[in-house]
Short mmCIF file of all heavy atoms in Angstrom, two decimals:
data_model
loop_
_atom_site.label_atom_id
_atom_site.label_comp_id
_atom_site.label_asym_id
_atom_site.label_seq_id
_atom_site.Cartn_x
_atom_site.Cartn_y
_atom_site.Cartn_z
N HIS A 257 -24.76 61.74 -26.67
CA HIS A 257 -25.15 60.46 -27.29
C HIS A 257 -25.06 60.53 -28.81
O HIS A 257 -25.10 61.61 -29.39
CB HIS A 257 -26.59 60.12 -26.88
CG HIS A 257 -27.60 61.17 -27.26
ND1 HIS A 257 -27.91 62.24 -26.45
CD2 HIS A 257 -28.37 61.32 -28.37
CE1 HIS A 257 -28.81 63.00 -27.03
NE2 HIS A 257 -29.10 62.48 -28.22
N PHE A 258 -24.95 59.35 -29.42
CA PHE A 258 -25.27 59.16 -30.83
C PHE A 258 -26.73 58.76 -30.85
O PHE A 258 -27.25 58.25 -29.84
CB PHE A 258 -24.47 57.99 -31.43
CG PHE A 258 -23.06 58.32 -31.85
CD1 PHE A 258 -21.98 57.95 -31.05
CD2 PHE A 258 -22.81 58.93 -33.08
CE1 PHE A 258 -20.68 58.23 -31.46
CE2 PHE A 258 -21.52 59.20 -33.49
CZ PHE A 258 -20.45 58.85 -32.66
N HIS A 259 -27.40 58.90 -31.96
CA HIS A 259 -28.72 58.28 -32.06
C HIS A 259 -28.53 56.79 -32.33
O HIS A 259 -27.65 56.40 -33.11
CB HIS A 259 -29.56 58.96 -33.14
CG HIS A 259 -29.97 60.35 -32.71
ND1 HIS A 259 -30.21 61.37 -33.58
CD2 HIS A 259 -30.17 60.84 -31.45
CE1 HIS A 259 -30.54 62.44 -32.89
NE2 HIS A 259 -30.51 62.16 -31.61
N GLY A 265 -31.30 62.84 -37.52
CA GLY A 265 -30.74 64.12 -37.09
C GLY A 265 -31.56 64.73 -35.97
O GLY A 265 -32.41 64.07 -35.37
N GLU A 266 -31.31 66.00 -35.67
CA GLU A 266 -32.00 66.68 -34.57
C GLU A 266 -31.78 68.18 -34.70
O GLU A 266 -30.78 68.61 -35.28
CB GLU A 266 -31.43 66.17 -33.23
CG GLU A 266 -32.12 66.68 -31.99
CD GLU A 266 -31.76 65.85 -30.73
OE1 GLU A 266 -30.99 64.87 -30.85
OE2 GLU A 266 -32.27 66.20 -29.65
N TYR A 268 -31.45 71.72 -32.27
CA TYR A 268 -31.38 72.35 -30.95
C TYR A 268 -31.55 73.85 -31.17
O TYR A 268 -31.07 74.39 -32.18
CB TYR A 268 -30.00 72.14 -30.29
CG TYR A 268 -29.75 70.80 -29.62
CD1 TYR A 268 -30.71 69.78 -29.59
CD2 TYR A 268 -28.53 70.55 -29.00
CE1 TYR A 268 -30.45 68.56 -28.97
CE2 TYR A 268 -28.26 69.33 -28.36
CZ TYR A 268 -29.22 68.34 -28.36
OH TYR A 268 -28.96 67.14 -27.74
N ILE A 299 -28.19 69.26 -36.08
CA ILE A 299 -27.29 68.13 -35.78
C ILE A 299 -27.52 67.08 -36.86
O ILE A 299 -28.62 66.53 -36.99
CB ILE A 299 -27.60 67.57 -34.38
CG1 ILE A 299 -27.39 68.66 -33.32
CG2 ILE A 299 -26.73 66.34 -34.09
CD1 ILE A 299 -28.04 68.35 -31.99
N HIS A 305 -23.64 64.16 -30.04
CA HIS A 305 -23.86 65.53 -29.59
C HIS A 305 -23.96 65.60 -28.08
O HIS A 305 -24.52 64.72 -27.44
CB HIS A 305 -25.09 66.15 -30.25
CG HIS A 305 -26.26 65.22 -30.42
ND1 HIS A 305 -26.24 64.16 -31.31
CD2 HIS A 305 -27.48 65.17 -29.82
CE1 HIS A 305 -27.39 63.52 -31.25
NE2 HIS A 305 -28.17 64.10 -30.34
N TRP A 321 -36.48 66.04 -32.04
CA TRP A 321 -35.82 64.87 -32.62
C TRP A 321 -36.84 63.80 -33.01
O TRP A 321 -37.92 63.74 -32.43
CB TRP A 321 -34.74 64.33 -31.68
CG TRP A 321 -35.18 63.69 -30.40
CD1 TRP A 321 -35.25 62.36 -30.13
CD2 TRP A 321 -35.57 64.34 -29.16
NE1 TRP A 321 -35.65 62.13 -28.83
CE2 TRP A 321 -35.86 63.34 -28.22
CE3 TRP A 321 -35.71 65.69 -28.78
CZ2 TRP A 321 -36.28 63.62 -26.91
CZ3 TRP A 321 -36.12 65.97 -27.48
CH2 TRP A 321 -36.40 64.95 -26.57
N ALA A 325 -35.36 57.86 -33.23
CA ALA A 325 -33.91 58.10 -33.18
C ALA A 325 -33.24 57.22 -32.11
O ALA A 325 -32.26 56.54 -32.37
CB ALA A 325 -33.62 59.58 -32.92
N GLY A 326 -33.78 57.25 -30.92
CA GLY A 326 -33.19 56.49 -29.81
C GLY A 326 -31.89 57.12 -29.33
O GLY A 326 -31.36 58.04 -29.97
N HIS A 327 -31.40 56.64 -28.20
CA HIS A 327 -30.15 57.17 -27.63
C HIS A 327 -29.13 56.05 -27.49
O HIS A 327 -29.42 55.03 -26.89
CB HIS A 327 -30.41 57.76 -26.24
CG HIS A 327 -31.31 58.96 -26.23
ND1 HIS A 327 -32.67 58.85 -26.26
CD2 HIS A 327 -31.03 60.28 -26.22
CE1 HIS A 327 -33.20 60.08 -26.25
NE2 HIS A 327 -32.24 60.95 -26.22
ZN1 ZN B 508 -30.08 63.43 -29.88
#
Side-chain angles (χ1 to χ4, degrees):
H257 58 272
F258 278 102
H259 289 151
E266 185 164 0
Y268 280 0
I299 299 163
H305 39 291
W321 69 102
H327 295 82

